[in-house]
Amino acid sequence: MQPEIAYPYGTFVVLLLASIFVLYVYKKVGHKALLWLGLGLLWVGLESLLDGYEASKLLALAGGSWNNLESSYLNSMLALDAVRGVFIILWAAFEVLFAAEILGVERKSVKVYIPAAIIVVGTIWTIALNFSHITPLDKRILISSAGRVLGILVPVALITGAYLLKVYKEIRSTSLLLFGLGFLIHGATLPTYSLAKESGSLALGAWYLLGGIVPALLAAAGAYYLFKESEVVE
């Protein structure tokens, strides 16, 4: 199996297991932040699954390049990529919901308006760009991906991670430290995808490791420590 197919499939498995664990801890603790985190991990896990499937279809149909895709397959592949993009947008929105809950933010602008704006703007951007007339196709997909990842997901992940670590310094909560590190590593790794892809399979594997697997494991560990901290409080 090609690395560009195997890596996202492997990442999906880890994200799915992390999501299940976080949702299990949510049932034990009842902390709504873990509900948003668990569902968010599920969304980004499904995105990784579609990432691998899309890569396999592109390799089979067009040698891995959008520019070589026959017109008969074009709309279905563009729709597949758009769905993958929407999953990324949902993950970004759920990051905000998670941060609001775990930090106890009650402002409606943070808990409702910002996630809603992320979903609406990101979805419109993805669909509009994917089905635009920008050529070549590789460039169109690149612009679409850059808008939702660099324009939305990366800033959200970095801001969330930085703020969680800021609060950690004040209250010394291990769970906040782990969550914050996970979001920072995730956000800092994502922009390096093109460089990693051009640098060979090892670099691409490191990108999936740091961008998806390590943050998922840190999220699961953070959920565990949140459970232990809740036991101490009780």
Side-chain angles (χ1 to χ4, degrees):
M1 187 180 289
Q2 296 285 350
E4 54 264 51
I5 301 172
Y7 290 149
Y9 280 160
T11 304
F12 160 70
V13 173
V14 175
L15 287 165
L16 179 62
L17 292 175
S19 172
I20 292 170
F21 179 77
V22 170
L23 291 174
Y24 170 77
V25 177
Y26 161 70
K27 290 187 68 176
K28 293 285 187 181
V29 179
H31 200 309
K32 200 171 182 180
L34 295 181
L35 173 63
W36 298 128
L37 180 60
L39 292 176
L41 288 169
L42 180 60
W43 288 125
V44 75
L46 291 173
E47 185 279 329
S48 191
L49 178 64
L50 290 184
D51 183 14
Y53 179 71
E54 180 181 294
S56 68
K57 295 292 286 184
L58 274 179
L59 281 170
L61 298 174
S65 173
W66 283 89
N67 293 334
N68 298 331
L69 197 62
E70 294 181 12
S71 57
S72 57
Y73 298 108
L74 181 58
N75 285 337
S76 61
M77 289 297 293
L78 288 173
L80 173 64
D81 187 77
V83 172
R84 191 167 71 85
V86 171
F87 284 160
I88 291 175
I89 296 302
L90 289 171
W91 165 231
F94 277 55
E95 285 183 19
V96 176
L97 291 169
F98 162 77
E101 284 293 339
I102 201 161
L103 296 174
V105 177
E106 295 296 334
R107 286 195 297 254
K108 194 174 183 180
S109 60
V110 176
K111 298 184 74 171
V112 178
Y113 298 145
I114 292 178
I118 287 173
I119 292 172
V120 171
V121 172
T123 300
I124 291 174
W125 171 272
T126 298
I127 293 173
L129 263 292
N130 274 34
F131 292 96
S132 69
H133 297 289
I134 296 174
T135 55
L137 269 172
D138 280 357
K139 181 179 179 182
R140 186 193 309 179
I141 297 300
L142 178 63
I143 295 172
S144 177
S145 177
R148 61 186 177 246
V149 175
L150 300 181
I152 297 177
L153 181 55
V154 168
V156 168
L158 291 177
I159 292 170
T160 300
Y163 203 82
L164 289 173
L165 291 181
K166 178 178 180 294
V167 177
Y168 159 74
K169 289 183 179 180
E170 300 169 2
I171 64 175
R172 295 294 171 177
S173 165
T174 302
S175 61
L176 288 184
L177 173 63
L178 294 169
F179 289 139
L181 287 174
F183 282 115
L184 277 182
I185 294 171
H186 179 58
T189 304
L190 291 178
T192 64
Y193 176 75
S194 294
L195 177 62
K197 189 174 182 180
E198 293 172 0
S199 300
S201 60
L202 286 178
L204 186 61
W207 185 87
Y208 277 100
L209 177 67
L210 292 175
I213 292 174
V214 169
L217 295 176
L218 287 171
Y224 171 76
Y225 275 97
L226 187 62
F227 171 67
K228 302 301 281 186
E229 290 165 0
S230 69
E231 285 186 328
V232 172
V233 171
E234 292 173 2

